[in-house]
Amino acid sequence: MANVQIDGVPQEAPPDELLIDLINRTGGSVPHVCYHPQLGPVQTCDTCMVEVNGRLVRACATPITDGMTISTKSAKAEAAQVEAFDRILSNHMLYCTVCDNNNGNCVVHNTTKLLAIEHQRIPFRTKPYEVDNTNPFYRYDPDQCILCGRCVEACQNVEVNETLSINWEDPNPRVLWDGGSTIGESSCVSCGHCVTVCPCNALMEKSMLGHAGFLTSLKKSALSGMIEVVKGVEPETGYGSILQISEAEHAMREHRIRKTKTVCTYCGVGCSFDVWTKDRHILKIAPEHGPANGISTCVKGKFGWGHINSEDRLTTPLIREGDKFRQASWEEAIGLVARRLSEIKAKDGADSLAFISSSKCTNEESYLMQKLARAVIGTNNVDNCSRYCQAPATVGLFRTVGYGGDSGSISDMEKADLVIIVGSNTAESHPVIATRVKSSHKLNGQKLIVSDIRENEMARRADLYLHPKPGTDLIWLSAVSRYLLDKGLAHTKFLDQWVNGLEEYRKSLMPYTLEAAERLTGLPERSIRTVAHMIAEAKATCILWAMGVTQQSQGSDTSTAISNLLLITGNYMRPGTGAYPLRGHNNVQGASDHGSMPNMLTGYQLVDDPEVRQRFETDWKVKLPSTKGLDNHQMVEAIHKGKVKALYVIGEEMSIVDCNANYVEAAFEKLDFFVVQDIFFSHTCQYADVVLPGAPSLEKEGTFTSTERRIQRLYEVLEPLDGCRPDWKIVQDVANQMGAGWHYQRPSEVMDEIASLTPMFAGVNYERLAGYKSLQWPVAADGTDQPLHYTKHFAFPDGKARLFPVSWIGATETPNAEFDLHLNNGRLLEHFHEGNLTYRTEGIQEKTPDVFVEVSPELAEERGIQSGTWVQLISRYGKVRVRALVTDRVHGKELYMPMNSVESPVNRLTSSHTDPVTDTPAYKEASVRMKVLAEVGESPLPRINPRFGHPTPQNGVEVERKWKRADYAPPGNGNGLVQLQTKKRS
Ligand code: SF4
Ligand code: SF4
Ligand code: SF4
Ligand code: FES
């Protein structure tokens, strides 16, 4: 520890802690406008000047060293602070009382108060620029912009979208998008980082404007008049009394603005944030304290909440009458569901019923759904959509290391020397995880390898991009393993101490020579060798993978090959290492963890284990079925065969997100009874007999578990819309109508029951998860969790991992003369899956209005296609009509179609082939032919889509350029100022 003195008081600090952090941590108060702990030193504002050993320094950029004598309040320091802030005020008109940012957290307001500024010495000067309103979600007001550069730092080095810069050399600097475009036509992906960190009202969410303040909804002319009045009295009264009025106005706001913590409803990253609401109006999403995301979000989490107050929300149960639905009371609907489920059970047996839980719902809801299936109906026919994505990754990890979850945390991905991404469009599907990798790659020298058939953003950033033939990842992964073992580059010590099965594994690798790998994958031998050497040289390697691996007919085996490779190179058990299958939905991890699986109860306890069953039977006071039930793929088959007669689905758009959608729809038509619980009348609802209106995540309490096994609480932001009920209550109502006698008053009681029955969650309770606290399972009874798995041993009885031999078989479906094109599919950044939620946000719809098929430039030329040409894609299973988008993101005869369509879903084209181990459909193994239609329309992506922008990468705000301006001198006459520079983020 370093010993220093601050204003005469001795303090201890770890060496290298930033002086500003130490001052803040020990209760001091130095102004700091541009500094934000999650951005690190930006050094643009100069307000944090302090004296260290007699010299002025910026506290935000000065690391602590032993023996420092620091004065924060010397005359020299204070004069410099005031002078610096005066310069800031010349860029910003203080009209706090009528400002939507007057919420107690405005840094400019608070610094004016802290420094007791009464009058400006440098008068405010307007800038010769218009307000930019061209983004649907936020606006930029150059006149209010203090040029602190926080937004630039966030965009360049945290989000790493590299859209923002400041033209420091201009006589009137301002923030620029793509070097001078409008926001609307720039590369801005509307992630909101810049708006979140802006210390004043220069960047603001449009949803705040005219809504947050008591006086801010006034007409512009009246508002301008009031601002003039405020400015008019300032010379006489000074800022002190003006600030008092604005603080009174802020205090009034406290009574009507609610700030409630929630967890994002979209992907599996697990971003958490406060939701600011005024009545049912969502003012803004405020990320800051989330353990996974901090200030980060993507466009969906920050702005994609239009579904909450959408007029399309279901607000009453519906019952089918012939071809139509009629509204019904809850009593009637629940009564009908209970009666029909009971009748079918009585007639055809418990196993003629099946249940599908939602990976959008909470852990507690998933638990109750499987309890309904098992304890009330008596069947293990219960599953969730992890079957469609993550089950193969779970198997790969169960086979090799013993637990089916990510082996570390997102912070480990940041720490790694080398990140390998296989079959994952991380920047679009897990945007906030991508920011961490992009940032480490840009700033910290992390190396990046990407294997994907589509040249996505991460591929373009990679040090090495591999484009293997579709479905051949297992081959090059095994060839890398064999090469490492053959060349003595494997981690022998780790293998000896921690891994079983080396000899058998080594034998299984015999076919995977470099020559064979080149022939089968199309990758040059030298690339495979380079991968091997990069892993061998890296101190810590993480491998991230997603549906490009798992949605193949050998998804489980390829996932296993990934884990095998990590084991032979010793890349487990240490920070910065490990296996990271990226979970798709917000709670797809939790849905499986909490027992919505046909062979497992909570915490992956097997249904055929008598000891496990007995524990649950004792608690639930029922006899439980002991044989594995049907997974959701088998359920569809069983409906076709007449074995499953009734289905109850919560929050899954099965009729179009399941593979071979036509086949699934045909199954639904055969059901005797079909219950769908959702927040909108989804496409799947068309086949239902009863539709029950559930509640979205903002309208309920519970927990979600993210990709890094992180359990987090969500609180009720808004009461359920009139007529809707939280899903846990609906399931309880159905169970009780069938005589279950459940008495859960709140979700915490459900979690207590889960913890009591599940060793993996023994220490989980709502108190330990209060606010932004979280736990990463397994959680011991005393509450100890495991951010990094396997620090002491692997999860097998002998504590050792197991190499699990696998061999490549080949795809179930490859292009041929009739179906000559390979069709890949996946997500888009802006939309979640088919878009049932995200299309309800106007701005998202405006930027990304429709589905398309990506066609390579060479194929487009060959077939006479341009962006906007309508084509028909035809597979063995169905056809869709869609517009083409010509792009070099895809190559040759490989097409890519995103999932964002209910009308033309890609799953009309996919097959029912599956990975035999898990029954996960091989969504990525589709072959089609393409008929070019005569019509040519507009490009399916409008010009305002960020993909058409031109980013301007640079290393942060580049304050050095400001310092070089002829009119810049450090405040305090620059006497002895030390311009320390560091890009280190805390
Ligand atoms: S991408 Fe757009 S919203 Fe995100 S930080 Fe950059 S400018 Fe701001
Ligand atoms: S817009 Fe950017 S530079 Fe301007 S005040 Fe906000 S964060 Fe600072
Ligand atoms: S969608 Fe994913 S990355 Fe985006 S805010 Fe939500 S959890 Fe975060
Ligand atoms: S806080 Fe802005 S320069 Fe230090």
Side-chain angles (χ1 to χ4, degrees):
M1 297 295 268
N3 291 297
V4 299
Q5 292 244 340
I6 303 183
D7 296 328
V9 181
Q11 302 286 3
E12 269 197 339
D16 288 339
E17 180 174 16
L18 290 173
L19 185 41
I20 194 87
D21 290 337
L22 174 63
I23 295 170
N24 287 338
R25 183 165 62 75
T26 53
S29 63
V30 163
H32 50 93
V33 174
C34 69
Y35 181 69
H36 186 297
Q38 291 178 51
L39 298 176
V42 180
Q43 300 189 81
T44 51
C45 79
D46 292 340
T47 57
C48 63
M49 293 291 183
V50 294
E51 264 189 275
V52 173
N53 303 340
R55 301 175 79 193
L56 280 177
V57 299
R58 297 184 182 89
C60 68
T62 306
I64 294 287
T65 53
D66 200 35
M68 278 179 162
T69 301
I70 299 140
S71 171
T72 67
K73 305 205 180 326
S74 71
K76 201 155 80 173
E78 284 192 341
Q81 293 163 10
V82 170
E83 185 183 341
F85 191 64
D86 207 52
R87 294 177 190 176
I88 283 175
L89 287 183
S90 71
N91 280 307
H92 184 93
M93 193 188 273
L94 279 178
Y95 53 73
C96 310
T97 315
V98 290
C99 173
D100 283 300
N101 200 44
N102 182 38
N103 300 301
N105 59 348
C106 176
V107 181
V108 176
H109 175 112
N110 295 346
T111 310
T112 310
K113 192 172 165 199
L114 178 70
L115 288 172
I117 303 282
E118 285 296 335
H119 300 287
Q120 280 175 242
R121 274 173 290 181
I122 314 173
F124 167 71
R125 280 184 312 121
T126 68
K127 300 187 191 79
Y129 309 113
E130 296 294 310
V131 174
D132 190 333
N133 269 308
T134 57
N135 180 285
F137 305 111
Y138 69 94
R139 69 98 181 94
Y140 172 60
D141 184 349
D143 263 353
Q144 293 300 97
C145 173
I146 58 171
L147 299 169
C148 69
R150 276 190 187 189
C151 56
V152 180
E153 194 71 25
C155 186
Q156 289 283 346
N157 286 351
V158 180
E159 159 68 9
V160 201
N161 205 56
E162 301 172 320
T163 300
L164 297 185
S165 59
I166 291 180
N167 50 348
W168 289 118
E169 292 75 17
D170 196 278
N172 295 291
R174 55 160 287 171
V175 176
L176 300 175
W177 276 252
D178 286 1
S181 156
T182 59
I183 307 176
E185 294 203 328
S186 75
S187 59
C188 168
V189 291
S190 304
C191 65
H193 282 76
C194 55
V195 190
T196 295
V197 298
C198 181
C200 61
N201 62 348
L203 282 168
M204 284 204 67
E205 298 85 354
K206 287 185 173 173
S207 48
M208 286 282 281
L209 296 174
H211 292 284
F214 279 84
L215 302 169
T216 54
S217 59
L218 295 174
K219 277 200 186 123
K220 203 166 173 241
S221 53
L223 211 56
S224 306
M226 289 191 67
I227 292 169
E228 285 311 310
V229 171
V230 173
K231 300 310 287 181
V233 297
E234 182 258 315
E236 212 166 299
T237 61
Y239 281 130
S241 46
I242 295 176
L243 293 191
Q244 275 175 8
I245 300 171
S246 61
E247 273 164 26
E249 197 262 357
H250 156 237
M252 284 160 63
R253 293 187 193 189
E254 290 280 292
H255 293 287
R256 67 171 190 180
I257 295 180
R258 283 187 71 206
K259 297 166 191 171
T260 319
K261 184 235 173 173
T262 193
V263 182
C264 184
T265 201
Y266 291 108
C267 87
V269 176
C271 298
S272 53
F273 28 72
D274 278 2
V275 188
W276 289 29
T277 48
K278 187 178 83 176
D279 304 322
R280 282 196 72 89
H281 176 73
I282 296 173
L283 286 165
K284 72 168 173 176
I285 299 299
E288 185 175 355
H289 306 294
N293 60 309
I295 55 169
S296 295
T297 43
C298 75
V299 56
K300 300 183 290 296
K302 178 76 181 173
F303 297 113
W305 299 93
H307 61 281
I308 298 293
N309 290 319
S310 163
E311 287 182 354
D312 303 341
R313 283 276 303 274
L314 286 169
T315 52
T316 176
L318 302 172
I319 291 177
R320 172 179 293 282
E321 273 188 359
D323 287 343
K324 297 212 167 69
F325 286 90
R326 68 167 169 82
Q327 297 188 343
S329 68
W330 273 103
E331 291 63 35
E332 185 187 7
I334 297 283
L336 178 61
V337 171
R339 180 168 61 77
R340 291 293 290 131
L341 296 183
S342 303
E343 284 171 1
I344 292 168
K345 177 181 166 183
K347 183 165 164 279
D348 297 302
D351 287 339
S352 65
L353 289 87
F355 296 79
I356 294 179
S357 190
S358 174
S359 52
K360 286 256 157 285
C361 283
T362 63
N363 288 326
E364 294 75 5
E365 288 166 340
S366 199
Y367 173 80
L368 292 184
M369 187 66 163
Q370 59 90 39
K371 186 171 176 181
L372 172 69
R374 294 185 161 118
V376 181
I377 305 293
T379 180
N380 279 321
N381 291 345
V382 59
D383 207 359
N384 74 89
C385 79
S386 73
R387 180 76 41 211
Y388 298 147
C389 53
Q390 286 302 333
T394 306
V395 164
L397 295 176
F398 268 132
R399 282 172 171 176
T400 50
V401 287
Y403 275 126
D406 282 12
S407 53
S409 304
I410 294 169
S411 58
D412 289 295
M413 304 175 203
E414 277 182 274
K415 284 178 208 142
D417 295 313
L418 172 64
V419 167
I420 304 177
I421 299 178
V422 189
S424 158
N425 181 7
T426 319
E428 300 205 53
S429 302
H430 299 87
V432 167
I433 286 182
T435 67
R436 302 314 192 239
V437 175
K438 289 194 283 185
S439 179
S440 290
H441 184 249
K442 180 173 179 179
L443 302 178
N444 302 337
Q446 183 180 77
K447 293 279 180 277
L448 177 62
I449 298 173
V450 173
S451 170
D452 204 297
I453 63 167
R454 180 165 173 266
E455 208 173 317
N456 58 40
E457 182 188 339
M458 300 311 275
R460 290 193 170 165
R461 288 178 178 275
D463 299 286
L464 178 64
Y465 168 48
L466 308 174
H467 178 172
K469 288 182 191 163
T472 61
D473 287 314
L474 188 151
I475 299 169
W476 71 259
L477 287 159
S478 300
V480 169
S481 290
R482 179 181 163 157
Y483 180 85
L484 287 163
L485 285 166
D486 287 353
K487 298 286 172 196
L489 295 169
H491 198 313
T492 329
K493 199 167 153 224
F494 184 87
L495 284 166
D496 288 348
Q497 190 177 356
W498 289 113
V499 186
N500 288 323
L502 179 60
E503 278 326 303
E504 210 191 322
Y505 175 62
R506 198 192 281 272
K507 275 189 224 143
S508 75
L509 294 175
M510 289 306 285
Y512 302 101
T513 60
L514 292 180
E515 303 77 47
E518 175 169 313
R519 182 166 34 81
L520 294 166
T521 64
L523 297 174
E525 278 186 36
R526 70 171 181 285
S527 297
I528 301 170
R529 261 197 306 270
T530 305
V531 176
H533 283 286
M534 285 172 79
I535 299 175
E537 281 157 25
K539 287 199 194 78
T541 298
C542 287
I543 304 187
L544 284 47
W545 74 102
M547 276 114 235
V549 168
T550 58
Q551 291 179 340
Q552 307 270 359
S553 54
Q554 273 196 283
S556 296
D557 289 344
T558 307
S559 301
T560 308
I562 289 172
S563 190
N564 285 338
L565 173 57
L566 288 166
L567 283 172
I568 64 157
T569 50
N571 277 303
Y572 273 112
M573 305 182 109
R574 286 178 293 121
T577 64
Y580 298 87
L582 304 178
R583 309 288 164 169
H585 284 265
N586 55 327
N587 201 38
V588 71
Q589 178 74 51
S592 297
D593 293 349
H594 290 82
S596 286
M597 294 181 89
N599 57 339
M600 290 169 179
L601 285 140
T602 52
Y604 303 96
Q605 302 178 87
L606 293 165
V607 292
D608 59 7
D609 180 334
E611 187 279 320
V612 168
R613 250 189 356 265
Q614 200 194 342
R615 189 160 7 105
F616 280 83
E617 285 173 348
T618 307
D619 193 81
W620 292 354
K621 299 184 181 58
V622 290
K623 191 88 188 130
L624 289 173
S626 60
T627 48
K628 175 184 177 296
L630 299 173
D631 61 49
N632 43 15
H633 184 76
Q634 292 166 330
M635 288 173 197
V636 172
E637 294 293 337
I639 298 168
H640 273 295
K641 289 184 183 143
K643 289 186 181 156
V644 164
K645 310 269 189 193
L647 185 65
Y648 185 167
V649 173
I650 301 185
E652 293 292 334
E653 183 59 300
M654 275 187 78
S655 64
I656 50 176
V657 303
D658 272 30
C659 61
N660 200 353
N662 292 335
Y663 186 69
V664 175
E665 284 174 335
F668 289 166
E669 281 174 353
K670 294 182 180 169
L671 282 166
D672 287 355
F673 190 61
F674 188 17
V675 185
V676 179
Q677 193 165 308
D678 213 314
I679 61 171
F680 294 110
F681 192 83
S682 64
H683 190 264
T684 306
C685 286
Q686 292 176 22
Y687 300 92
D689 294 289
V690 178
V691 176
L692 302 171
S697 61
L698 293 197
E699 295 178 5
K700 56 194 175 190
E701 273 199 276
T703 58
F704 288 154
T705 306
S706 68
T707 189
E708 50 177 353
R709 300 170 280 106
R710 190 183 292 283
I711 310 166
Q712 303 186 89
R713 262 179 88 173
L714 47 145
Y715 292 79
E716 186 186 88
V717 175
L718 301 165
E719 282 184 6
L721 208 56
D722 260 357
C724 305
R725 289 184 184 175
D727 297 83
W728 66 270
K729 280 194 179 161
I730 303 173
V731 175
Q732 173 160 261
D733 290 344
V734 171
N736 284 344
Q737 190 74 28
M738 297 182 77
W742 296 354
H743 301 290
Y744 305 108
Q745 297 296 314
R746 52 192 69 85
S748 61
E749 295 168 5
V750 181
M751 183 51 86
D752 290 343
E753 181 175 313
I754 296 168
S756 73
L757 291 166
T758 317
M760 202 167 96
F761 302 133
V764 179
N765 63 46
Y766 272 33
E767 220 166 67
R768 291 195 172 120
L769 295 170
Y772 280 89
K773 288 195 283 187
S774 66
L775 293 164
Q776 288 173 272
W777 65 250
V779 185
D782 65 359
T784 312
D785 68 345
Q786 285 195 23
L788 181 66
H789 253 339
Y790 319 121
T791 47
K792 297 199 177 73
H793 52 77
F794 287 96
F796 289 115
D798 64 357
K800 285 189 163 193
R802 299 170 180 174
L803 288 163
F804 190 103
V806 287
S807 45
W808 187 72
I809 297 164
T812 46
E813 188 174 307
T814 47
N816 60 14
E818 189 182 358
F819 301 101
D820 58 330
L821 305 173
H822 179 271
L823 176 67
N824 187 11
N825 63 76
R827 283 197 200 148
L828 275 184
L829 171 68
E830 298 89 336
H831 285 291
F832 198 80
H833 276 214
E834 77 294 324
N836 277 353
L837 301 182
T838 43
Y839 273 116
R840 261 102 188 173
T841 294
E842 241 173 67
I844 290 182
Q845 189 165 16
E846 189 182 304
K847 290 253 174 202
T848 316
D850 206 355
V851 70
F852 47 84
V853 59
E854 288 184 349
V855 177
S856 69
E858 51 275 25
L859 188 63
E861 196 183 336
E862 181 193 306
R863 309 266 168 113
I865 292 170
Q866 62 192 67
S867 288
T869 303
W870 283 94
V871 299
Q872 192 172 45
L873 300 179
I874 304 148
S875 78
R876 295 173 179 87
Y877 314 96
K879 53 190 173 194
V880 298
R881 193 172 166 278
V882 64
R883 275 178 291 171
L885 183 75
V886 180
T887 168
D888 58 5
R889 282 188 289 271
V890 288
H891 297 184
K893 290 188 164 187
E894 291 165 1
L895 307 173
Y896 179 84
M897 196 174 153
M899 295 187 271
N900 60 317
S901 179
V902 174
E903 295 76 29
S904 300
V906 67
N907 289 313
R908 298 238 177 271
L909 303 168
T910 50
S911 74
S912 296
H913 298 305
T914 61
D915 169 29
V917 185
T918 56
D919 259 350
T920 300
Y923 287 93
K924 304 293 193 265
E925 291 177 7
S927 309
V928 296
R929 66 169 179 269
M930 181 164 62
K931 190 167 153 196
V932 181
L933 305 175
E935 279 166 272
V936 179
E938 303 259 294
S939 166
L941 272 186
R943 171 63 192 89
I944 56 166
N945 187 278
R947 289 165 185 79
F948 294 111
H950 301 283
T952 49
Q954 60 181 45
N955 193 351
V957 72
E958 295 187 345
V959 65
E960 299 82 359
R961 288 165 47 209
K962 172 182 171 172
W963 295 340
K964 283 190 191 140
R965 282 178 66 100
D967 59 0
Y968 177 78
N973 296 325
N975 283 342
L977 171 72
V978 182
Q979 293 186 340
L980 290 165
Q981 292 168 39
T982 168
K983 281 283 169 204
K984 201 175 110 189
R985 287 214 303 276
S986 58

